[in-house]
Amino acid sequence: MDKNQKQNKFDVIIIGSGPSGYTAGIYTARAGYKTLIISGILKGGQLMNTTEVENYPGFPEGILGPDLMNNMLQQCKNMGTVLISDEVSSVDFKQYPFLIKISENKYYSRSVIICTGATPRKLGIQSENFFSAKGVSYCATCDGPFFKNLELAVIGGGDSAMEEAIFLTKFASKVHIIHRRQKLRASNIMQNRAMTNDKIVFHLDTKVEEILGDHKVKSLILKNTITNKNKKLNVGGVFIAIGHVPNTSLFKDNIDLDNNGYIILKNKSETSVRGIFAAGDVHDHSYRQAITAAGFGCMAAIDVDKFLTRIDK
């Protein structure tokens, strides 16, 4: 290994940031391991696009998502973690130490923690982006309490959409489920729970054409996919629940993924390749919370410590 390779050699490389990546970095650096976080272009992940976070422990008055992530970032730096704000171009987990490339720059590591997260599927209309964090949300458990006593819309027809709608009835005056087909994709039990809830109204064979408002969502323009007729629906918030896409295309030829692209964990937080670990939404399709992502980051870091301790003996 030449001089440049030695300089770019780490005990732990964490791919991705957010609560899982930053927590893992705090733990591994604090344990004395030379740690590199390759954060991606958007340091801090999805929370950088959120406003108030009320349910992260330790902040009784709440905290802005970017402030929470910047606090974690600073804590990583204080522990001595090296950070690079760039995208990984390729990985090779078949060689050891593992190879991670950023453009033409090569980095080597004795262990890797993947924290690249998952991206919510979007409707693909321009107003969706404009009203993001202004009434458009992708997480009812995160943002539902901000919408008390309002009429809300949930877009989607699967189990996640039913779960989001049922959860939102705790806060909303009424919840409208909007699905572009006549038949829902949700399981029968979830459909029945939603259909027997007095606060939930269904709009089937219907898609969202436009989201309207000023600085916040005020209404939707809905289009019936059978008649092509439009109608206006007044709502104070829109929750889009049409699934997530795990950010794992980089790893598909290196580790085992399930049919939906999520990383399969074989032994606690370890993947199908010994020495490669994963944390957060990149494998978790059930909880998808900042606090659970941070917890998974802690778990992965502890598992890395055990792995490196074993191979150092």
Side-chain angles (χ1 to χ4, degrees):
M1 185 173 288
D2 62 30
K3 183 179 180 181
N4 187 53
Q5 288 176 323
K6 287 180 181 178
Q7 185 180 355
N8 289 344
K9 189 173 186 297
F10 292 84
D11 296 312
V12 188
I13 289 181
I14 298 166
I15 303 175
S17 48
S20 58
Y22 287 152
T23 302
I26 290 166
Y27 270 77
T28 56
R30 188 170 182 268
Y33 295 111
K34 186 181 179 184
T35 300
L36 169 66
I37 294 179
I38 306 171
S39 67
I41 300 300
L42 182 62
K43 291 187 293 185
Q46 291 183 50
L47 279 177
M48 297 301 288
N49 293 324
T50 63
T51 52
E52 194 79 17
V53 178
E54 288 188 326
N55 56 359
Y56 199 92
F59 299 94
E61 305 302 322
I63 184 171
L64 295 176
D67 289 346
L68 178 60
M69 290 299 93
N70 286 330
N71 286 349
M72 289 190 181
L73 171 61
Q74 189 58 53
Q75 197 168 356
C76 280
K77 290 179 177 178
N78 292 347
M79 293 295 174
T81 305
V82 180
L83 291 115
I84 296 177
S85 301
D86 210 335
E87 300 281 358
V88 173
S89 54
S90 66
V91 300
D92 185 351
F93 296 158
K94 295 178 176 65
Q95 71 168 69
Y96 194 83
F98 304 115
L99 171 63
I100 292 91
K101 292 182 71 175
I102 302 176
S103 298
E104 297 304 313
N105 296 318
K106 297 180 179 181
Y107 299 85
Y108 300 86
S109 186
R110 300 196 295 145
S111 64
V112 174
I113 305 176
I114 300 169
C115 302
T116 48
T119 303
R121 286 194 175 95
K122 295 190 174 184
L123 297 176
I125 58 178
Q126 188 173 359
S127 51
E128 175 185 11
N129 292 327
F130 178 81
F131 286 106
S132 180
K134 301 174 185 175
V136 170
S137 172
Y138 301 88
C139 179
T141 51
C142 307
D143 299 329
F146 295 118
F147 295 85
K148 290 178 180 177
N149 303 317
L150 296 176
E151 287 197 33
L152 303 175
V154 173
I155 318 300
D159 279 354
S160 294
M162 302 305 112
E163 290 171 2
E164 300 257 291
I166 292 166
F167 177 81
L168 288 170
T169 59
K170 297 178 181 180
F171 313 100
S173 59
K174 186 181 291 185
V175 177
H176 301 267
I177 294 179
I178 300 162
H179 183 49
R180 63 188 303 137
R181 297 180 179 85
Q182 176 63 38
K183 188 175 181 181
L184 297 169
R185 294 179 290 106
S187 60
N188 287 334
I189 188 169
M190 291 307 301
Q191 289 189 45
N192 290 336
R193 286 177 183 172
M195 289 178 176
T196 55
N197 192 309
D198 293 338
K199 280 191 171 184
I200 295 178
V201 179
F202 283 84
H203 304 259
L204 301 178
D205 292 323
T206 302
K207 65 178 183 177
V208 178
E209 286 283 281
E210 194 73 34
I211 302 170
L212 302 175
D214 38 43
H215 62 286
K216 286 188 176 181
V217 170
K218 293 290 182 65
S219 61
L220 302 175
I221 300 298
L222 304 180
K223 184 174 186 177
N224 186 288
T225 58
I226 304 299
T227 65
N228 287 326
K229 290 184 178 179
N230 288 349
K231 67 178 180 180
K232 187 176 182 180
L233 178 67
N234 293 324
V235 294
V238 183
F239 290 79
I240 298 169
I242 54 178
H244 288 71
V245 179
N247 302 318
T248 55
S249 58
L250 190 66
F251 314 109
K252 63 181 180 180
D253 296 323
N254 284 269
I255 56 175
D256 291 349
L257 309 175
D258 68 15
N259 292 334
N260 294 313
Y262 287 92
I263 292 175
I264 298 171
L265 300 183
K266 299 290 187 177
N267 178 27
K268 297 182 180 177
S269 65
E270 196 168 35
T271 70
S272 57
V273 176
R274 189 167 176 263
I276 306 293
F277 301 80
D281 292 7
V282 75
H283 70 79
D284 168 34
H285 46 77
S286 298
Y287 302 104
R288 292 196 291 264
Q289 300 295 302
I291 187 64
T292 53
F296 282 126
C298 168
M299 292 158 61
I302 291 172
D303 290 341
V304 163
D305 179 38
K306 292 177 180 177
F307 167 74
L308 293 175
T309 299
R310 284 198 304 269
I311 66 173
D312 284 340
K313 286 183 177 178

